[in-house]
Each structure stands twice: as structure tokens, then as C-alpha cells.
Amino acid sequence: MRTTINTDMQSETTRTKTLLRELLAAETAVWTALQQGDIAADRAALHPQFLGVYPSGFAGRDDHTEQLEQGPTVAEFSIADARVLPLGPETALLAYRGTYTRPGQTEGEVKGAAMYVSSIWQRQDGGWINIFSQDTEALPKGATNPLP
């Protein structure tokens, strides 16, 4: 019986790693669309009922894509400390720390910003589509966390 449990745990670990890889690829596609100013790619990655929760408020899919009408909104980005939480057979949450710079930042300006992102993805038509995302600004290094 112990062998069955180990096999089950290995299978679950493999499924989780595969899910994490798939969602990281999907999330990277959204960041790449922002980096390239690609409205069509950004729109294709977002569910029609997409809800974004940002420091500036709520945003739908159209709000998210309209930000690209003036061109790219991200110059460089990175994703770190990613983790995945399966929510159901066709839905999962991806959480990570994202860092980025904006186009046109001059030397002397803040080189980048960081935030924690939670995105809910839903499997549709053999791929993943983003249905929800919340961005939380990361505290500067060394800042005291106001939460317990």
C-alpha cells in the first residue's frame, strides 16, 4: 500500500509541475503582449468576463487591452517564486512575484517595480485563458510588513 501512496504522490507532483509550466507559459504570453504592445495577443489571453483588480481599481478585458493603444506598457519583466494552486479540474491559480520596467524610463528613475500577482486560469479549447488577476504592489526591500 505504501508503494501506491508514493506512486500517487509522484503522479500528483508531476501533474503540479506540468500545470505550473503551462500556466507560466500562458502568463508569460500576457507579459510579452504588454512588452510588444500586441493588443490581439493580450485580448486572446483574457476571458471575455476577465476581471482585474489593481491598485487603481477594477478592470475588464477591454480596459486591459486598451492600455496598449499607445504602444507597449512594459519594457522588461521577470517572473519569480511562482507557485500553483489547482482549484478544480479545469481551473487553477498561479501566484508569483513579478518585476518590470516601463518603456522610456530614464537613467536615475526607479529601475523597476515589483508586485505580487495572483491569476486564475481556466482551461478552454486545449489552452488556458485568464479569467482573473490581482496585482499587489510589493513592499520595498527592508520595509516593515504592516500585516502580522
Side-chain angles (χ1 to χ4, degrees):
M1 185 162 179
R2 187 173 186 100
T3 303
T4 302
I5 292 171
N6 288 339
T7 302
D8 289 346
M9 288 187 336
Q10 289 173 344
S11 296
E12 186 61 33
T13 300
T14 300
R15 282 192 298 270
T16 300
K17 286 180 181 180
T18 299
L19 179 60
L20 180 59
R21 270 194 308 276
E22 289 175 2
L23 294 182
L24 280 172
E27 189 78 26
T28 298
V30 174
W31 279 97
T32 301
L34 298 175
Q35 187 180 42
Q36 296 175 351
D38 190 338
I39 294 172
D42 189 47
R43 186 171 191 79
L46 304 177
H47 190 279
Q49 295 176 340
F50 171 82
L51 174 62
V53 180
Y54 306 114
S56 59
F58 299 111
R61 181 170 73 172
D62 290 343
D63 301 313
H64 199 275
T65 59
E66 286 172 5
Q67 70 179 319
L68 297 174
E69 288 177 354
Q70 305 302 314
T73 59
V74 171
E76 295 179 16
F77 70 90
S78 66
I79 295 173
D81 300 328
R83 52 205 69 196
V84 66
L85 175 64
L87 300 175
E90 303 297 326
T91 308
L93 180 137
L94 174 68
Y96 63 92
R97 179 182 166 90
T99 57
Y100 62 95
T101 58
R102 297 286 186 197
Q105 286 182 324
T106 60
E107 198 167 322
E109 287 184 300
V110 175
K111 283 289 186 192
M115 61 186 162
Y116 290 95
V117 178
S118 298
S119 292
I120 297 176
W121 291 84
Q122 187 175 68
R123 191 184 310 269
Q124 287 188 353
D125 301 326
W128 290 96
I129 190 158
N130 190 205
I131 193 163
F132 173 85
S133 184
Q134 180 168 1
D135 300 351
T136 303
E137 185 178 347
L139 294 173
K141 286 187 180 183
T144 303
N145 186 346
L147 301 175

PDB file of all heavy atoms in Angstrom, residues 43-79:
ATOM      1  N   ARG A  43      -5.713  40.365 -25.835  1.00  0.00           N
ATOM      2  CA  ARG A  43      -7.144  40.057 -25.847  1.00  0.00           C
ATOM      3  C   ARG A  43      -7.393  38.546 -25.911  1.00  0.00           C
ATOM      4  O   ARG A  43      -8.264  38.019 -25.217  1.00  0.00           O
ATOM      5  CB  ARG A  43      -7.813  40.763 -27.022  1.00  0.00           C
ATOM      6  CG  ARG A  43      -9.308  40.636 -27.040  1.00  0.00           C
ATOM      7  CD  ARG A  43      -9.916  41.557 -28.112  1.00  0.00           C
ATOM      8  NE  ARG A  43     -11.336  41.636 -27.962  1.00  0.00           N
ATOM      9  CZ  ARG A  43     -11.981  42.383 -27.079  1.00  0.00           C
ATOM     10  NH1 ARG A  43     -11.307  43.146 -26.251  1.00  0.00           N
ATOM     11  NH2 ARG A  43     -13.290  42.376 -27.006  1.00  0.00           N
ATOM     12  N   ALA A  44      -6.614  37.840 -26.722  1.00  0.00           N
ATOM     13  CA  ALA A  44      -6.787  36.391 -26.872  1.00  0.00           C
ATOM     14  C   ALA A  44      -6.490  35.643 -25.578  1.00  0.00           C
ATOM     15  O   ALA A  44      -7.047  34.564 -25.346  1.00  0.00           O
ATOM     16  CB  ALA A  44      -5.894  35.875 -27.994  1.00  0.00           C
ATOM     17  N   ALA A  45      -5.645  36.198 -24.721  1.00  0.00           N
ATOM     18  CA  ALA A  45      -5.269  35.531 -23.469  1.00  0.00           C
ATOM     19  C   ALA A  45      -6.289  35.738 -22.359  1.00  0.00           C
ATOM     20  O   ALA A  45      -6.249  35.042 -21.349  1.00  0.00           O
ATOM     21  CB  ALA A  45      -3.903  36.033 -23.006  1.00  0.00           C
ATOM     22  N   LEU A  46      -7.206  36.703 -22.547  1.00  0.00           N
ATOM     23  CA  LEU A  46      -8.136  37.077 -21.488  1.00  0.00           C
ATOM     24  C   LEU A  46      -9.560  36.600 -21.780  1.00  0.00           C
ATOM     25  O   LEU A  46     -10.062  36.769 -22.890  1.00  0.00           O
ATOM     26  CB  LEU A  46      -8.147  38.602 -21.301  1.00  0.00           C
ATOM     27  CG  LEU A  46      -6.792  39.254 -21.011  1.00  0.00           C
ATOM     28  CD1 LEU A  46      -6.954  40.762 -20.916  1.00  0.00           C
ATOM     29  CD2 LEU A  46      -6.154  38.690 -19.765  1.00  0.00           C
ATOM     30  N   HIS A  47     -10.194  36.058 -20.783  1.00  0.00           N
ATOM     31  CA  HIS A  47     -11.585  35.624 -20.871  1.00  0.00           C
ATOM     32  C   HIS A  47     -12.473  36.849 -21.134  1.00  0.00           C
ATOM     33  O   HIS A  47     -12.166  37.950 -20.652  1.00  0.00           O
ATOM     34  CB  HIS A  47     -11.968  34.965 -19.542  1.00  0.00           C
ATOM     35  CG  HIS A  47     -13.273  34.266 -19.550  1.00  0.00           C
ATOM     36  ND1 HIS A  47     -14.461  34.932 -19.400  1.00  0.00           N
ATOM     37  CD2 HIS A  47     -13.578  32.950 -19.694  1.00  0.00           C
ATOM     38  CE1 HIS A  47     -15.449  34.060 -19.442  1.00  0.00           C
ATOM     39  NE2 HIS A  47     -14.942  32.849 -19.619  1.00  0.00           N
ATOM     40  N   PRO A  48     -13.567  36.701 -21.890  1.00  0.00           N
ATOM     41  CA  PRO A  48     -14.467  37.841 -22.121  1.00  0.00           C
ATOM     42  C   PRO A  48     -14.961  38.495 -20.825  1.00  0.00           C
ATOM     43  O   PRO A  48     -15.206  39.697 -20.794  1.00  0.00           O
ATOM     44  CB  PRO A  48     -15.633  37.232 -22.903  1.00  0.00           C
ATOM     45  CG  PRO A  48     -15.037  36.049 -23.592  1.00  0.00           C
ATOM     46  CD  PRO A  48     -13.999  35.513 -22.639  1.00  0.00           C
ATOM     47  N   GLN A  49     -15.084  37.717 -19.757  1.00  0.00           N
ATOM     48  CA  GLN A  49     -15.527  38.269 -18.470  1.00  0.00           C
ATOM     49  C   GLN A  49     -14.353  38.509 -17.520  1.00  0.00           C
ATOM     50  O   GLN A  49     -14.540  38.608 -16.304  1.00  0.00           O
ATOM     51  CB  GLN A  49     -16.550  37.334 -17.830  1.00  0.00           C
ATOM     52  CG  GLN A  49     -17.816  37.237 -18.641  1.00  0.00           C
ATOM     53  CD  GLN A  49     -18.797  36.227 -18.055  1.00  0.00           C
ATOM     54  OE1 GLN A  49     -18.421  35.345 -17.291  1.00  0.00           O
ATOM     55  NE2 GLN A  49     -20.053  36.377 -18.427  1.00  0.00           N
ATOM     56  N   PHE A  50     -13.156  38.642 -18.058  1.00  0.00           N
ATOM     57  CA  PHE A  50     -11.956  38.884 -17.248  1.00  0.00           C
ATOM     58  C   PHE A  50     -12.192  40.016 -16.250  1.00  0.00           C
ATOM     59  O   PHE A  50     -12.779  41.041 -16.572  1.00  0.00           O
ATOM     60  CB  PHE A  50     -10.777  39.242 -18.163  1.00  0.00           C
ATOM     61  CG  PHE A  50      -9.570  39.721 -17.420  1.00  0.00           C
ATOM     62  CD1 PHE A  50      -8.685  38.820 -16.847  1.00  0.00           C
ATOM     63  CD2 PHE A  50      -9.311  41.074 -17.284  1.00  0.00           C
ATOM     64  CE1 PHE A  50      -7.560  39.260 -16.161  1.00  0.00           C
ATOM     65  CE2 PHE A  50      -8.189  41.532 -16.606  1.00  0.00           C
ATOM     66  CZ  PHE A  50      -7.320  40.615 -16.039  1.00  0.00           C
ATOM     67  N   LEU A  51     -11.694  39.807 -15.031  1.00  0.00           N
ATOM     68  CA  LEU A  51     -11.706  40.850 -14.016  1.00  0.00           C
ATOM     69  C   LEU A  51     -10.295  41.024 -13.485  1.00  0.00           C
ATOM     70  O   LEU A  51      -9.671  40.069 -13.022  1.00  0.00           O
ATOM     71  CB  LEU A  51     -12.646  40.471 -12.855  1.00  0.00           C
ATOM     72  CG  LEU A  51     -12.633  41.421 -11.658  1.00  0.00           C
ATOM     73  CD1 LEU A  51     -13.104  42.827 -12.063  1.00  0.00           C
ATOM     74  CD2 LEU A  51     -13.487  40.864 -10.524  1.00  0.00           C
ATOM     75  N   GLY A  52      -9.791  42.240 -13.575  1.00  0.00           N
ATOM     76  CA  GLY A  52      -8.504  42.586 -12.999  1.00  0.00           C
ATOM     77  C   GLY A  52      -8.733  43.474 -11.792  1.00  0.00           C
ATOM     78  O   GLY A  52      -9.579  44.375 -11.826  1.00  0.00           O
ATOM     79  N   VAL A  53      -7.981  43.227 -10.715  1.00  0.00           N
ATOM     80  CA  VAL A  53      -8.050  44.048  -9.513  1.00  0.00           C
ATOM     81  C   VAL A  53      -6.659  44.632  -9.311  1.00  0.00           C
ATOM     82  O   VAL A  53      -5.696  43.898  -9.082  1.00  0.00           O
ATOM     83  CB  VAL A  53      -8.484  43.206  -8.284  1.00  0.00           C
ATOM     84  CG1 VAL A  53      -8.553  44.079  -7.034  1.00  0.00           C
ATOM     85  CG2 VAL A  53      -9.826  42.535  -8.552  1.00  0.00           C
ATOM     86  N   TYR A  54      -6.586  45.950  -9.435  1.00  0.00           N
ATOM     87  CA  TYR A  54      -5.303  46.646  -9.429  1.00  0.00           C
ATOM     88  C   TYR A  54      -5.327  47.779  -8.402  1.00  0.00           C
ATOM     89  O   TYR A  54      -6.407  48.173  -7.938  1.00  0.00           O
ATOM     90  CB  TYR A  54      -5.022  47.206 -10.828  1.00  0.00           C
ATOM     91  CG  TYR A  54      -5.115  46.147 -11.906  1.00  0.00           C
ATOM     92  CD1 TYR A  54      -6.100  46.191 -12.877  1.00  0.00           C
ATOM     93  CD2 TYR A  54      -4.224  45.076 -11.920  1.00  0.00           C
ATOM     94  CE1 TYR A  54      -6.189  45.209 -13.855  1.00  0.00           C
ATOM     95  CE2 TYR A  54      -4.306  44.088 -12.886  1.00  0.00           C
ATOM     96  CZ  TYR A  54      -5.294  44.157 -13.852  1.00  0.00           C
ATOM     97  OH  TYR A  54      -5.383  43.178 -14.806  1.00  0.00           O
ATOM     98  N   PRO A  55      -4.172  48.342  -8.066  1.00  0.00           N
ATOM     99  CA  PRO A  55      -4.170  49.474  -7.137  1.00  0.00           C
ATOM    100  C   PRO A  55      -5.055  50.635  -7.614  1.00  0.00           C
ATOM    101  O   PRO A  55      -5.596  51.377  -6.807  1.00  0.00           O
ATOM    102  CB  PRO A  55      -2.693  49.887  -7.086  1.00  0.00           C
ATOM    103  CG  PRO A  55      -1.953  48.621  -7.368  1.00  0.00           C
ATOM    104  CD  PRO A  55      -2.810  47.901  -8.385  1.00  0.00           C
ATOM    105  N   SER A  56      -5.261  50.731  -8.928  1.00  0.00           N
ATOM    106  CA  SER A  56      -6.104  51.807  -9.482  1.00  0.00           C
ATOM    107  C   SER A  56      -7.586  51.443  -9.518  1.00  0.00           C
ATOM    108  O   SER A  56      -8.418  52.288  -9.827  1.00  0.00           O
ATOM    109  CB  SER A  56      -5.630  52.140 -10.897  1.00  0.00           C
ATOM    110  OG  SER A  56      -5.716  50.983 -11.720  1.00  0.00           O
ATOM    111  N   GLY A  57      -7.929  50.190  -9.239  1.00  0.00           N
ATOM    112  CA  GLY A  57      -9.327  49.769  -9.238  1.00  0.00           C
ATOM    113  C   GLY A  57      -9.557  48.531 -10.082  1.00  0.00           C
ATOM    114  O   GLY A  57      -8.635  47.771 -10.380  1.00  0.00           O
ATOM    115  N   PHE A  58     -10.804  48.341 -10.500  1.00  0.00           N
ATOM    116  CA  PHE A  58     -11.199  47.180 -11.284  1.00  0.00           C
ATOM    117  C   PHE A  58     -11.007  47.443 -12.769  1.00  0.00           C
ATOM    118  O   PHE A  58     -11.125  48.580 -13.234  1.00  0.00           O
ATOM    119  CB  PHE A  58     -12.672  46.837 -11.033  1.00  0.00           C
ATOM    120  CG  PHE A  58     -12.977  46.492  -9.605  1.00  0.00           C
ATOM    121  CD1 PHE A  58     -13.746  47.338  -8.821  1.00  0.00           C
ATOM    122  CD2 PHE A  58     -12.504  45.319  -9.043  1.00  0.00           C
ATOM    123  CE1 PHE A  58     -14.029  47.020  -7.510  1.00  0.00           C
ATOM    124  CE2 PHE A  58     -12.784  44.989  -7.725  1.00  0.00           C
ATOM    125  CZ  PHE A  58     -13.554  45.843  -6.958  1.00  0.00           C
ATOM    126  N   ALA A  59     -10.742  46.380 -13.527  1.00  0.00           N
ATOM    127  CA  ALA A  59     -10.597  46.497 -14.980  1.00  0.00           C
ATOM    128  C   ALA A  59     -11.144  45.233 -15.635  1.00  0.00           C
ATOM    129  O   ALA A  59     -10.973  44.135 -15.119  1.00  0.00           O
ATOM    130  CB  ALA A  59      -9.132  46.677 -15.363  1.00  0.00           C
ATOM    131  N   GLY A  60     -11.799  45.423 -16.769  1.00  0.00           N
ATOM    132  CA  GLY A  60     -12.266  44.306 -17.579  1.00  0.00           C
ATOM    133  C   GLY A  60     -11.291  44.043 -18.715  1.00  0.00           C
ATOM    134  O   GLY A  60     -10.233  44.678 -18.817  1.00  0.00           O
ATOM    135  N   ARG A  61     -11.640  43.121 -19.580  1.00  0.00           N
ATOM    136  CA  ARG A  61     -10.768  42.766 -20.703  1.00  0.00           C
ATOM    137  C   ARG A  61     -10.507  43.981 -21.598  1.00  0.00           C
ATOM    138  O   ARG A  61      -9.367  44.220 -21.996  1.00  0.00           O
ATOM    139  CB  ARG A  61     -11.365  41.620 -21.515  1.00  0.00           C
ATOM    140  CG  ARG A  61     -10.446  41.223 -22.689  1.00  0.00           C
ATOM    141  CD  ARG A  61     -10.865  39.956 -23.358  1.00  0.00           C
ATOM    142  NE  ARG A  61     -12.056  40.132 -24.155  1.00  0.00           N
ATOM    143  CZ  ARG A  61     -12.550  39.213 -24.964  1.00  0.00           C
ATOM    144  NH1 ARG A  61     -11.960  38.039 -25.075  1.00  0.00           N
ATOM    145  NH2 ARG A  61     -13.633  39.427 -25.657  1.00  0.00           N
ATOM    146  N   ASP A  62     -11.554  44.741 -21.921  1.00  0.00           N
ATOM    147  CA  ASP A  62     -11.357  45.911 -22.777  1.00  0.00           C
ATOM    148  C   ASP A  62     -10.417  46.925 -22.137  1.00  0.00           C
ATOM    149  O   ASP A  62      -9.573  47.513 -22.819  1.00  0.00           O
ATOM    150  CB  ASP A  62     -12.697  46.568 -23.118  1.00  0.00           C
ATOM    151  CG  ASP A  62     -13.540  45.723 -24.055  1.00  0.00           C
ATOM    152  OD1 ASP A  62     -12.989  44.801 -24.709  1.00  0.00           O
ATOM    153  OD2 ASP A  62     -14.764  45.973 -24.128  1.00  0.00           O
ATOM    154  N   ASP A  63     -10.551  47.153 -20.831  1.00  0.00           N
ATOM    155  CA  ASP A  63      -9.648  48.071 -20.125  1.00  0.00           C
ATOM    156  C   ASP A  63      -8.205  47.592 -20.236  1.00  0.00           C
ATOM    157  O   ASP A  63      -7.284  48.382 -20.447  1.00  0.00           O
ATOM    158  CB  ASP A  63     -10.022  48.167 -18.641  1.00  0.00           C
ATOM    159  CG  ASP A  63     -11.441  48.644 -18.420  1.00  0.00           C
ATOM    160  OD1 ASP A  63     -11.857  49.632 -19.053  1.00  0.00           O
ATOM    161  OD2 ASP A  63     -12.150  48.006 -17.606  1.00  0.00           O
ATOM    162  N   HIS A  64      -8.028  46.283 -20.076  1.00  0.00           N
ATOM    163  CA  HIS A  64      -6.677  45.714 -20.116  1.00  0.00           C
ATOM    164  C   HIS A  64      -6.049  45.887 -21.495  1.00  0.00           C
ATOM    165  O   HIS A  64      -4.879  46.234 -21.615  1.00  0.00           O
ATOM    166  CB  HIS A  64      -6.732  44.233 -19.720  1.00  0.00           C
ATOM    167  CG  HIS A  64      -5.416  43.674 -19.300  1.00  0.00           C
ATOM    168  ND1 HIS A  64      -4.496  43.177 -20.192  1.00  0.00           N
ATOM    169  CD2 HIS A  64      -4.883  43.523 -18.065  1.00  0.00           C
ATOM    170  CE1 HIS A  64      -3.443  42.738 -19.527  1.00  0.00           C
ATOM    171  NE2 HIS A  64      -3.651  42.939 -18.239  1.00  0.00           N
ATOM    172  N   THR A  65      -6.831  45.660 -22.542  1.00  0.00           N
ATOM    173  CA  THR A  65      -6.281  45.760 -23.894  1.00  0.00           C
ATOM    174  C   THR A  65      -6.124  47.213 -24.350  1.00  0.00           C
ATOM    175  O   THR A  65      -5.187  47.531 -25.073  1.00  0.00           O
ATOM    176  CB  THR A  65      -7.138  44.987 -24.915  1.00  0.00           C
ATOM    177  OG1 THR A  65      -8.462  45.511 -24.911  1.00  0.00           O
ATOM    178  CG2 THR A  65      -7.163  43.508 -24.587  1.00  0.00           C
ATOM    179  N   GLU A  66      -7.025  48.091 -23.901  1.00  0.00           N
ATOM    180  CA  GLU A  66      -6.959  49.497 -24.317  1.00  0.00           C
ATOM    181  C   GLU A  66      -5.687  50.189 -23.857  1.00  0.00           C
ATOM    182  O   GLU A  66      -5.239  51.152 -24.489  1.00  0.00           O
ATOM    183  CB  GLU A  66      -8.191  50.257 -23.810  1.00  0.00           C
ATOM    184  CG  GLU A  66      -9.444  49.929 -24.591  1.00  0.00           C
ATOM    185  CD  GLU A  66     -10.707  50.518 -23.978  1.00  0.00           C
ATOM    186  OE1 GLU A  66     -10.626  51.274 -22.977  1.00  0.00           O
ATOM    187  OE2 GLU A  66     -11.797  50.205 -24.507  1.00  0.00           O
ATOM    188  N   GLN A  67      -5.082  49.707 -22.782  1.00  0.00           N
ATOM    189  CA  GLN A  67      -3.840  50.329 -22.316  1.00  0.00           C
ATOM    190  C   GLN A  67      -2.731  50.220 -23.367  1.00  0.00           C
ATOM    191  O   GLN A  67      -1.781  50.983 -23.351  1.00  0.00           O
ATOM    192  CB  GLN A  67      -3.395  49.712 -20.992  1.00  0.00           C
ATOM    193  CG  GLN A  67      -2.904  48.275 -21.121  1.00  0.00           C
ATOM    194  CD  GLN A  67      -2.450  47.676 -19.824  1.00  0.00           C
ATOM    195  OE1 GLN A  67      -1.787  48.344 -19.023  1.00  0.00           O
ATOM    196  NE2 GLN A  67      -2.791  46.415 -19.589  1.00  0.00           N
ATOM    197  N   LEU A  68      -2.886  49.293 -24.318  1.00  0.00           N
ATOM    198  CA  LEU A  68      -1.853  49.079 -25.336  1.00  0.00           C
ATOM    199  C   LEU A  68      -2.061  49.941 -26.585  1.00  0.00           C
ATOM    200  O   LEU A  68      -1.244  49.894 -27.498  1.00  0.00           O
ATOM    201  CB  LEU A  68      -1.805  47.602 -25.717  1.00  0.00           C
ATOM    202  CG  LEU A  68      -1.409  46.669 -24.570  1.00  0.00           C
ATOM    203  CD1 LEU A  68      -1.541  45.221 -24.995  1.00  0.00           C
ATOM    204  CD2 LEU A  68      -0.012  46.976 -24.077  1.00  0.00           C
ATOM    205  N   GLU A  69      -3.125  50.716 -26.622  1.00  0.00           N
ATOM    206  CA  GLU A  69      -3.389  51.545 -27.802  1.00  0.00           C
ATOM    207  C   GLU A  69      -2.277  52.561 -28.052  1.00  0.00           C
ATOM    208  O   GLU A  69      -2.066  52.987 -29.184  1.00  0.00           O
ATOM    209  CB  GLU A  69      -4.749  52.234 -27.682  1.00  0.00           C
ATOM    210  CG  GLU A  69      -5.898  51.255 -27.842  1.00  0.00           C
ATOM    211  CD  GLU A  69      -7.261  51.906 -27.666  1.00  0.00           C
ATOM    212  OE1 GLU A  69      -7.341  53.099 -27.310  1.00  0.00           O
ATOM    213  OE2 GLU A  69      -8.261  51.188 -27.891  1.00  0.00           O
ATOM    214  N   GLN A  70      -1.558  52.948 -27.011  1.00  0.00           N
ATOM    215  CA  GLN A  70      -0.442  53.887 -27.144  1.00  0.00           C
ATOM    216  C   GLN A  70       0.906  53.179 -27.282  1.00  0.00           C
ATOM    217  O   GLN A  70       1.942  53.817 -27.299  1.00  0.00           O
ATOM    218  CB  GLN A  70      -0.407  54.833 -25.934  1.00  0.00           C
ATOM    219  CG  GLN A  70      -1.701  55.584 -25.700  1.00  0.00           C
ATOM    220  CD  GLN A  70      -2.119  56.414 -26.911  1.00  0.00           C
ATOM    221  OE1 GLN A  70      -1.301  57.124 -27.502  1.00  0.00           O
ATOM    222  NE2 GLN A  70      -3.377  56.318 -27.296  1.00  0.00           N
ATOM    223  N   GLY A  71       0.863  51.848 -27.359  1.00  0.00           N
ATOM    224  CA  GLY A  71       2.091  51.070 -27.508  1.00  0.00           C
ATOM    225  C   GLY A  71       2.382  50.236 -26.275  1.00  0.00           C
ATOM    226  O   GLY A  71       1.556  50.133 -25.364  1.00  0.00           O
ATOM    227  N   PRO A  72       3.563  49.630 -26.245  1.00  0.00           N
ATOM    228  CA  PRO A  72       3.941  48.757 -25.126  1.00  0.00           C
ATOM    229  C   PRO A  72       3.875  49.486 -23.783  1.00  0.00           C
ATOM    230  O   PRO A  72       4.154  50.687 -23.702  1.00  0.00           O
ATOM    231  CB  PRO A  72       5.384  48.365 -25.448  1.00  0.00           C
ATOM    232  CG  PRO A  72       5.495  48.539 -26.932  1.00  0.00           C
ATOM    233  CD  PRO A  72       4.607  49.710 -27.265  1.00  0.00           C
ATOM    234  N   THR A  73       3.511  48.743 -22.755  1.00  0.00           N
ATOM    235  CA  THR A  73       3.464  49.311 -21.403  1.00  0.00           C
ATOM    236  C   THR A  73       4.548  48.735 -20.500  1.00  0.00           C
ATOM    237  O   THR A  73       4.711  49.183 -19.375  1.00  0.00           O
ATOM    238  CB  THR A  73       2.083  49.053 -20.759  1.00  0.00           C
ATOM    239  OG1 THR A  73       1.855  47.648 -20.709  1.00  0.00           O
ATOM    240  CG2 THR A  73       0.971  49.735 -21.548  1.00  0.00           C
ATOM    241  N   VAL A  74       5.265  47.748 -20.999  1.00  0.00           N
ATOM    242  CA  VAL A  74       6.331  47.090 -20.236  1.00  0.00           C
ATOM    243  C   VAL A  74       7.565  47.002 -21.123  1.00  0.00           C
ATOM    244  O   VAL A  74       7.462  46.624 -22.293  1.00  0.00           O
ATOM    245  CB  VAL A  74       5.889  45.668 -19.804  1.00  0.00           C
ATOM    246  CG1 VAL A  74       7.043  44.892 -19.204  1.00  0.00           C
ATOM    247  CG2 VAL A  74       4.723  45.746 -18.833  1.00  0.00           C
ATOM    248  N   ALA A  75       8.724  47.385 -20.571  1.00  0.00           N
ATOM    249  CA  ALA A  75       9.977  47.263 -21.327  1.00  0.00           C
ATOM    250  C   ALA A  75      10.633  45.909 -21.047  1.00  0.00           C
ATOM    251  O   ALA A  75      11.044  45.216 -21.970  1.00  0.00           O
ATOM    252  CB  ALA A  75      10.932  48.402 -20.971  1.00  0.00           C
ATOM    253  N   GLU A  76      10.748  45.572 -19.786  1.00  0.00           N
ATOM    254  CA  GLU A  76      11.347  44.295 -19.374  1.00  0.00           C
ATOM    255  C   GLU A  76      10.523  43.733 -18.226  1.00  0.00           C
ATOM    256  O   GLU A  76       9.892  44.487 -17.481  1.00  0.00           O
ATOM    257  CB  GLU A  76      12.783  44.507 -18.896  1.00  0.00           C
ATOM    258  CG  GLU A  76      13.726  44.990 -19.974  1.00  0.00           C
ATOM    259  CD  GLU A  76      15.142  45.223 -19.449  1.00  0.00           C
ATOM    260  OE1 GLU A  76      15.465  44.731 -18.348  1.00  0.00           O
ATOM    261  OE2 GLU A  76      15.898  45.895 -20.145  1.00  0.00           O
ATOM    262  N   PHE A  77      10.553  42.409 -18.082  1.00  0.00           N
ATOM    263  CA  PHE A  77       9.822  41.787 -16.978  1.00  0.00           C
ATOM    264  C   PHE A  77      10.494  40.492 -16.581  1.00  0.00           C
ATOM    265  O   PHE A  77      11.250  39.897 -17.343  1.00  0.00           O
ATOM    266  CB  PHE A  77       8.354  41.527 -17.357  1.00  0.00           C
ATOM    267  CG  PHE A  77       8.159  40.443 -18.377  1.00  0.00           C
ATOM    268  CD1 PHE A  77       7.977  39.122 -17.987  1.00  0.00           C
ATOM    269  CD2 PHE A  77       8.172  40.732 -19.733  1.00  0.00           C
ATOM    270  CE1 PHE A  77       7.799  38.121 -18.929  1.00  0.00           C
ATOM    271  CE2 PHE A  77       7.987  39.740 -20.680  1.00  0.00           C
ATOM    272  CZ  PHE A  77       7.801  38.431 -20.283  1.00  0.00           C
ATOM    273  N   SER A  78      10.197  40.070 -15.363  1.00  0.00           N
ATOM    274  CA  SER A  78      10.613  38.746 -14.911  1.00  0.00           C
ATOM    275  C   SER A  78       9.572  38.214 -13.941  1.00  0.00           C
ATOM    276  O   SER A  78       8.863  38.979 -13.284  1.00  0.00           O
ATOM    277  CB  SER A  78      11.994  38.782 -14.248  1.00  0.00           C
ATOM    278  OG  SER A  78      11.941  39.518 -13.047  1.00  0.00           O
ATOM    279  N   ILE A  79       9.485  36.904 -13.890  1.00  0.00           N
ATOM    280  CA  ILE A  79       8.555  36.206 -13.012  1.00  0.00           C
ATOM    281  C   ILE A  79       9.389  35.321 -12.100  1.00  0.00           C
ATOM    282  O   ILE A  79      10.240  34.565 -12.571  1.00  0.00           O
ATOM    283  CB  ILE A  79       7.560  35.360 -13.837  1.00  0.00           C
ATOM    284  CG1 ILE A  79       6.672  36.260 -14.697  1.00  0.00           C
ATOM    285  CG2 ILE A  79       6.727  34.460 -12.928  1.00  0.00           C
ATOM    286  CD1 ILE A  79       5.769  35.508 -15.672  1.00  0.00           C
TER     287      ILE A  79
END
